[in-house]
Amino acid sequence: MKCVEFRGMAESYQAGELPVDTNHEVIAHLDGCAACRGELEARVALRLTLRAAFEHSPTLAPDTRFVADVRSLLTGRSTSQGRFGGRTSWLAMAATLILVVAAGWALGWGPGRPLSRPGGGSAAVSALAAHAAGDHRYCALEHALDEPVISLEEAARRYNPAYASLRDVVAQSAPVREGGLEILGAHWCVFKGQAFGHVIAQRGDHVVSILVAPTSQASAAGSPPSTCQSADGLQVACFDARGHGVFVVSDLAEGDVLQLARSLAPVLQAYLAEA
């Protein structure tokens, strides 16, 4: 892949719209091209900055009366002759709602792209946080992925040797050894073009996903875990591990997910540094 080809599909790569094979070509190109890695990090930083500015801007917050009327309409408590005075006003309100949705799409908040806040790992890892949350929801919780899963062993032969012992490594971590986390299964899966090695576990009544994906970062040191996304009832903690991003996703409290990631990080970072 050439740099000009990467630039032409960079937005699709960030949005998770590329086929699996093309996604792997992009990752391989980023591994060897510092200029394109820098461009990707700049794109990610810009998108995160825009999201944060939009989310926290008081001038862009919806009017409280507008929110109340939309809520009333959606719950069936309003009539066509509500406070907006008839059909014309309801159409105007609908048009406003469409504009709000369109603004969300412009900032990359379409399906599978929930609002997030910056933080956690490198820019390349943070860019995959929404994909990790989506994989947890549609694979671990709803079992509704578009593509079939394969075993970690098969994925190791086809794509990345690091997947081979992923389940065994998680089993050696403190949360599993101490009985606070039970492994339910493990496989390789794809969500919106992004592939993950996926270990599914359970803590009490809560399902936890530990997801590993190759990234364009090749740092051997890794990074300490931190919260990189919180949206739609899911918390995502992430960290770097020598050319891989690791994500811990669950509906547990944010502090619990972060603590779990910190407990898993030592064994996973050590393993991926040697894989």
Side-chain angles (χ1 to χ4, degrees):
M1 177 176 290
K2 298 180 180 179
C3 294
V4 65
E5 294 175 307
F6 166 75
R7 295 189 188 101
M9 61 181 67
E11 287 296 325
S12 297
Y13 173 70
Q14 283 184 268
E17 297 171 350
L18 297 178
V20 176
D21 291 344
T22 306
N23 220 46
H24 288 162
E25 290 178 18
V26 170
I27 291 171
H29 175 74
L30 290 171
D31 282 340
C33 182
C36 287
R37 285 201 303 272
E39 180 169 336
L40 175 64
E41 291 185 0
R43 287 172 178 267
V44 171
L46 176 61
R47 176 168 289 185
L48 291 175
T49 300
L50 287 173
R51 287 180 183 172
F54 192 93
E55 184 178 359
H56 296 104
S57 172
T59 60
L60 295 176
D63 181 78
T64 54
R65 290 182 301 171
F66 172 79
V67 173
D69 282 310
V70 170
R71 183 179 293 113
S72 179
L73 173 65
L74 294 177
T75 55
R77 291 196 298 268
S78 294
T79 68
S80 61
Q81 297 298 320
R83 66 182 298 166
F84 283 87
R87 182 178 178 182
T88 301
S89 294
W90 282 117
L91 289 175
M93 188 177 72
T96 303
L97 184 59
I98 290 171
L99 289 175
V100 172
V101 173
W105 273 99
L107 291 177
W109 298 342
R113 308 290 294 182
L115 290 175
S116 62
R117 62 176 181 272
S122 66
V125 171
S126 296
L128 297 179
H131 292 74
D135 194 280
H136 172 76
R137 184 177 299 282
Y138 290 102
C139 181
L141 300 182
E142 300 183 13
H143 311 292
L145 290 178
D146 294 331
E147 301 187 39
V149 304
I150 63 174
S151 69
L152 290 175
E153 292 76 13
E154 181 65 22
R157 287 193 293 271
R158 292 188 192 180
Y159 307 117
N160 187 340
Y163 294 130
S165 300
L166 187 57
R167 176 177 178 147
D168 294 338
V169 172
V170 173
Q172 296 168 11
S173 67
V176 177
R177 287 188 288 103
E178 295 169 2
L181 192 68
E182 178 187 0
I183 295 178
L184 302 179
H187 56 250
W188 179 93
C189 54
V190 179
F191 175 73
K192 289 194 172 183
Q194 177 59 52
F196 292 98
H198 191 175
V199 178
I200 302 173
Q202 186 168 352
R203 182 175 181 179
D205 296 329
H206 302 271
V207 176
V208 178
S209 286
I210 299 102
L211 299 134
V212 175
T215 71
S216 59
Q217 300 295 313
S219 171
S223 64
S226 56
T227 300
C228 57
Q229 180 163 298
S230 177
D232 296 335
L234 296 177
Q235 309 294 332
V236 184
C238 59
F239 54 91
D240 293 285
R242 194 182 181 183
H244 295 81
V246 182
F247 306 86
V248 180
V249 189
S250 181
D251 62 351
L252 288 162
E254 179 179 333
D256 292 337
V257 174
L258 182 56
Q259 183 56 47
L260 193 54
R262 288 170 176 164
S263 299
L264 291 164
V267 293
L268 284 169
Q269 287 179 326
Y271 168 68
L272 292 169
E274 301 296 330

